[in-house]
Amino acid sequence: MNVLLSKVAFRAATSLLATALCPLAAIAETSSAPVVTERTRATLVVGADAAAPGAPIAVALRLQLKPGWHTYWRNPGDSGEPAVVTLRVGEREYKGPDMWPVPERIDLAGIVSYGYHGDVFLPTRVVAPAGVVPGATLPIEAKATWLVCEKVCVPEHGRFTVSLPMAVDVPATTSGSPFNPEPLQPLPAQFSKTAGGWNLRVPAASADAGGAIVAAYFFPERGDLIDHSAPQSLDRSGSGIVLGMDAAPAMAEAPSELRGILAITQQRADGTRQTRYFRIAAQP
Amino acid sequence: MTGSVLLTRRTSLFVLGGAGALALPGTAMAKPQVGSPAPTFSGVGSDGKSYKLADYRGRTVVLEWTNHECPYVGKHYRSGNMQALQHDAAAKGFVWLSVISSMPDSQGHVGAAEANDLTKARNAAPAAVILDPDGVIGRAYDARVTPHMFIIDPRGTLVYMGGIDSIRSTSLGDVTKATPYVRDAMQQLADGKPVAQPVTQAYGCTIKYKPTA
């Protein structure tokens, strides 16, 4: 458990300094009863011990996976499928998850999927009904399906209820925890269609801060644009960087905006490397 | 543009690497393309006979990558969808070949006897089940998941590649809601028409290929 927790804290810290300064242990948590399989401990969790009527709440499906197992990002890449969560809060229904943490590139003998190992938080934003009386308890119900894979793939599912006390004067949920991740910093970019796929161009001014770029990888939100298993080429010969991606076999029409997450690995003056993640909404 | 640079790089890898590079992951070989000749192959079936694509000139061939333990494959066999497609193919005079590319000791890997038992137990109707434990046929077709589907016309041209249908899920209930890409393609071919959606997105379990390093 401690190992899992420190891994989460570490992952969050890579994109957000505030989390590093605020140990995870200090974040309040309200959890449902777990659904436990041979592979997964699943809970529905809120990163607070109370909420105010009418306030936004991030409710996460938390999947604690046994070593070796993974589940999937919103775009699962060349195999698998993303988790689906349906939440009921008062009279309203919400579909999630809607805040996906940065995925890993999972390469199995050359076939690439996008997903997560370890302790995975998949939050959905909901709103506490305004009419609930402080002092009462708000039940948040969810049904969820998710796929876990190791050497084999197993679809899993669960129903959860987390009971959240309603109170006045609750501090707003702080973002930057795994329960409510800070949005990634945006990076301006352009994209174009090429003969064999797509180019993503990031101008020098925005790309270079932090040291020489030694590697980059783009995770597209849509699953029908690039060949996920093909290598992405990094061209640093001009100003900024150009990332070349092969087209998906079923080449889609050019989208109005190419959305996704860009991982940039930079080498600092002292030789160490760091990878940072940026939100991309590239324009043609 | 980028694509051609990458291709050149791959080609040189291929040349330098010699025979060993034949087994580089998917991208090392030219990817199969609809409208081009389908990659040739030969393999051994679970009945002990050898099967070559060249033997089927003049007939339409359907290739189904399978792994009986994959939940996506399970959805199409437990719903009876896959068997119905196989029977439909046979009725149209098409040759349906199921291919198993799982490496030994991985999910979905079976020997000949078990493959035959599975066919019987599931009332499946492929013309043959080809055992491809080294992944050679799978890599040649750049098959990535189970199920991954390909159709080759009587002239040996690849005319369909992609998913079995349009809904990426393991739920049996989605089979009847999905657009049945393979069923539609087979009907169009039987009617002498071009396949309306010749390339679609495949979904499923990663094929458990033998590592190629």
Side-chain angles (χ1 to χ4, degrees):
Chain A
M1 200 58 159
N2 282 333
V3 174
L4 285 174
L5 283 176
S6 57
K7 202 187 274 178
V8 171
F10 174 76
R11 190 191 293 170
T14 58
S15 60
L16 191 79
L17 189 62
T19 307
L21 301 174
C22 165
L24 191 64
I27 297 169
E29 174 186 339
T30 307
S31 174
S32 71
V35 169
V36 180
T37 70
E38 289 166 45
R39 304 153 291 271
T40 311
R41 183 181 191 274
T43 45
L44 191 69
V45 291
V46 178
D49 47 25
I57 312 169
V59 184
L61 173 67
R62 182 179 188 180
L63 303 174
Q64 291 165 281
L65 306 173
K66 284 218 172 135
W69 291 84
H70 65 264
T71 189
Y72 293 88
W73 188 47
R74 61 189 305 165
N75 168 12
D78 273 350
S79 67
E81 66 184 82
V84 177
V85 180
T86 307
L87 287 152
R88 180 162 285 281
V89 185
E91 296 300 305
R92 278 200 63 182
E93 193 174 275
Y94 298 85
K95 288 279 184 194
D98 66 0
M99 289 188 284
W100 296 85
V102 171
E104 305 161 38
R105 184 177 168 279
I106 300 171
D107 183 334
L108 294 173
I111 299 171
V112 172
S113 304
Y114 301 143
Y116 312 98
H117 290 87
D119 194 358
V120 187
F121 289 78
L122 303 175
T124 306
R125 283 162 290 199
V126 306
V127 177
V132 183
V133 190
T137 297
L138 174 68
I140 300 174
E141 294 171 7
K143 56 181 182 181
T145 60
W146 62 92
L147 184 76
V148 293
C149 295
E150 187 214 25
K151 292 188 178 72
V152 304
C153 294
V154 185
E156 298 187 333
H157 59 91
R159 286 179 176 272
F160 308 88
T161 303
V162 58
S163 299
L164 193 63
M166 302 304 285
V168 284
D169 296 334
V170 178
T173 317
T174 48
S175 63
S177 78
F179 302 97
N180 192 12
E182 181 95 337
L184 296 174
Q185 187 189 329
L187 203 56
Q190 291 89 44
F191 76 99
S192 55
K193 206 167 178 174
T194 62
W198 309 92
N199 273 351
L200 180 69
R201 186 179 304 272
V202 179
S206 46
D208 279 346
I213 295 168
V214 291
Y217 191 85
F218 182 64
F219 297 92
E221 277 185 14
R222 269 174 58 172
D224 57 352
L225 296 175
I226 75 162
D227 180 341
H228 308 105
S229 296
Q232 298 183 1
S233 67
L234 174 62
D235 181 350
R236 292 178 296 147
S237 60
S239 80
I241 61 168
V242 179
L243 206 54
M245 295 166 279
D246 284 8
M251 176 78 152
E253 284 303 302
S256 57
E257 202 173 58
L258 182 60
R259 300 173 64 89
I261 295 174
L262 180 65
I264 293 184
T265 303
Q266 286 164 300
Q267 185 150 337
R268 300 191 192 92
D270 64 3
T272 59
R273 288 181 174 195
Q274 68 163 349
T275 298
R276 295 186 298 156
Y277 299 94
F278 299 92
R279 182 161 51 90
I280 298 289
Q283 304 301 311
Chain B
M1 230 135 36
T2 309
S4 60
V5 172
L6 283 172
L7 271 178
T8 311
R9 217 175 279 162
R10 279 175 206 150
T11 310
S12 56
L13 265 178
F14 183 81
V15 172
L16 290 171
L22 268 173
L24 271 180
T27 47
M29 283 170 279
K31 290 175 191 173
Q33 285 194 340
V34 158
S36 295
T40 57
F41 64 83
S42 62
V44 177
S46 60
D47 55 5
K49 294 180 189 163
S50 77
Y51 290 90
K52 289 204 296 286
L53 181 62
D55 293 342
Y56 297 111
R57 274 297 157 94
R59 295 185 70 185
T60 298
V61 177
V62 182
L63 300 179
E64 169 213 356
W65 259 266
T66 190
N67 159 359
H68 69 287
E69 295 168 295
C70 164
Y72 296 93
V73 171
K75 161 183 158 183
H76 290 286
Y77 275 97
R78 283 188 288 129
S79 62
N81 184 45
M82 194 68 82
Q83 297 92 324
L85 287 169
Q86 292 163 346
H87 283 107
D88 184 32
K92 288 178 161 64
F94 297 175
V95 179
W96 183 293
L97 301 174
S98 303
V99 186
I100 301 174
S101 295
S102 298
M103 66 178 160
D105 299 320
S106 73
Q107 187 192 45
H109 176 75
V110 289
E114 196 183 344
N116 293 333
D117 289 347
L118 279 166
T119 298
K120 207 168 169 186
R122 295 186 296 186
N123 192 29
V129 179
I130 296 179
L131 306 177
D132 180 41
D134 293 327
V136 174
I137 304 173
R139 296 288 193 189
Y141 276 80
D142 197 20
R144 297 187 183 183
V145 293
T146 54
H148 203 157
M149 307 295 300
F150 298 82
I151 306 178
I152 300 151
D153 77 5
R155 288 179 302 281
T157 302
L158 188 64
V159 290
Y160 178 82
M161 62 178 188
I164 183 165
D165 67 17
S166 63
I167 300 184
R168 185 175 199 139
S169 85
T170 57
S171 299
L172 265 64
D174 287 333
V175 171
T176 52
K177 295 179 203 156
T179 303
Y181 295 139
V182 170
R183 180 179 304 276
D184 289 352
M186 292 201 307
Q187 192 56 52
Q188 286 151 4
L189 290 166
D191 293 342
K193 295 177 189 159
V195 176
Q197 277 184 278
V199 186
T200 66
Q201 211 179 359
Y203 67 86
C205 301
T206 303
I207 294 177
K208 318 303 178 193
Y209 282 121
K210 196 177 260 192
T212 51

